[in-house]
DNA sequence: GTGAAAAGTTAGCAAAGACTAACTATGTGC
DNA sequence: GCACATAGTTAGTCTTTGCTAACTTTTCAC
């Protein structure tokens, strides 16, 4: 009985993690697209590819999926725009990213490692954890 | 110039994250296999599947890959064993998991959320971050 | 010791995310 | 205004990770 319950609980945890993993790439993309639009006025596949370290056709295919999911809009041979849903997700991601980053630096990590770790961690922190990170980063 | 360098730097970060993502599942498996062997004396596909919340054939297929990669050994219709490489990885994962978990709890997170978040975060923390987490968790 | 339940495997499907090669469109320099 | 470089797309491949359905093996109860 105990075993069953604990197996179920474990399964739920892993299902949650798998769910998060499925969303990671989309989050990376919309966050990056928002950054590019802000920095350069537009988000082009070639720049997305360079920033992510993948080839352009990989980006094309992923953008198709994001469009299918309603996070971006695009026209053939033109650059990419975020839908309002995509913008909202990008904002949320940026917020998480910044909190995690500030937290890690405040903890004493060098900024470069902090950036690396934040990129991996940000997709896996609950709101509750984020709140704790934030208050740690903000404490006097 | 600056743009190019920063794009390259970004790309390296993402390449690192993608690398970590590729290893996550293997790490989850060996960690769980080690737990099952310790708790129940053996690791059976049916239990692995139940704990991970996936179907048994999915487990079979992934175990094939882990065997191919030298992390486990197995015989048809028999339970799974870790190689020394697999054991070492499992130990390392457990260590990381426990440090992250203790850290989150010490930070004030409830144990259940801590467990969820630790499961996602543990694959993305550098040794440097881990050291900081550990000293925070151990401080008086 | 046999037969049914449980466990495990195999085959085959689908989607995602990576790649290369080959093609098409865009835009720029002269 | 045209040619060519750059950007983007399309097609096709591979691997991973999920699934179901169908089959085989093992185990256990009687």
């Amino acid at each position: 009985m105990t075993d069953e319950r604990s197996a179920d609980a474990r399964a739920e945890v892993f299902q949650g993690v798998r769910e998060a993993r499925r969303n990671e790439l989309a989050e990376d993309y919309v966050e990056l697209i928002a950054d590019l639009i802000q920095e350069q006025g537009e988000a082009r596949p070639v720049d997305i590819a360079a920033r992510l370290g993948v080839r352009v056709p990989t980006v094309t295919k992923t953008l198709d999926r994001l469009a299918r999911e309603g996070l971006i809009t695009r026209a053939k041979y033109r650059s990419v725009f975020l839908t309002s849903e995509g913008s909202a997700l990008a904002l949320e991601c940026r917020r998480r990213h910044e909190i995690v980053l500030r937290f890690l630096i405040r903890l004493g990590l060098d900024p470069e490692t902090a950036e690396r770790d934040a990129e991996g961690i940000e997709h896996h922190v609950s709101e509750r954890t984020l709140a704790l990170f934030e208050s740690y980063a903000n404490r006097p």
Side-chain angles (χ1 to χ4, degrees), chain A:
Chain A
M1 212 57 61
T2 316
D3 274 10
E4 239 179 75
R5 242 193 319 122
S6 93
D8 284 358
R10 295 276 266 151
E12 258 178 55
V13 169
F14 280 112
Q15 275 160 357
V17 173
R18 275 202 304 282
E19 175 69 21
R21 281 175 194 162
R22 263 200 307 279
N23 290 250
E24 282 178 71
L25 202 69
E27 294 181 359
D28 288 342
Y29 269 77
V30 297
E31 203 178 348
L32 175 53
I33 290 165
D35 287 351
L36 284 168
I37 289 173
Q38 192 170 19
E39 285 169 27
Q40 324 199 323
E42 62 176 352
R44 299 146 75 219
V46 70
D47 292 326
I48 297 172
R51 293 282 232 282
L52 291 178
V54 299
R55 301 294 185 171
V56 175
T58 302
V59 170
T60 301
K61 205 185 278 190
T62 303
L63 291 178
D64 286 343
R65 172 169 76 88
L66 299 184
R68 215 164 56 231
E69 290 171 1
L71 294 170
I72 64 168
T73 55
R74 57 199 302 251
K76 261 195 177 185
Y77 298 100
R78 290 270 104 89
S79 56
V80 181
F81 300 92
L82 294 170
T83 61
S84 58
E85 195 189 340
S87 283
L89 182 57
L91 266 182
E92 188 194 316
C93 290
R94 181 179 299 179
R95 174 180 157 262
R96 282 206 310 253
H97 183 93
E98 270 165 19
I99 292 174
V100 173
L101 184 63
R102 281 202 303 127
F103 169 78
L104 290 174
I105 288 172
R106 184 65 197 258
L107 200 64
L109 201 60
D110 64 287
E112 207 175 304
T113 310
E115 185 54 60
R116 279 170 201 274
D117 283 15
E119 199 62 65
I121 291 172
E122 60 175 298
H123 308 284
H124 298 278
V125 285
S126 59
E127 265 312 310
R128 220 172 263 196
T129 299
L130 217 48
L132 289 167
F133 279 13
E134 193 168 25
S135 67
Y136 182 94
N138 286 343
R139 87 196 194 297

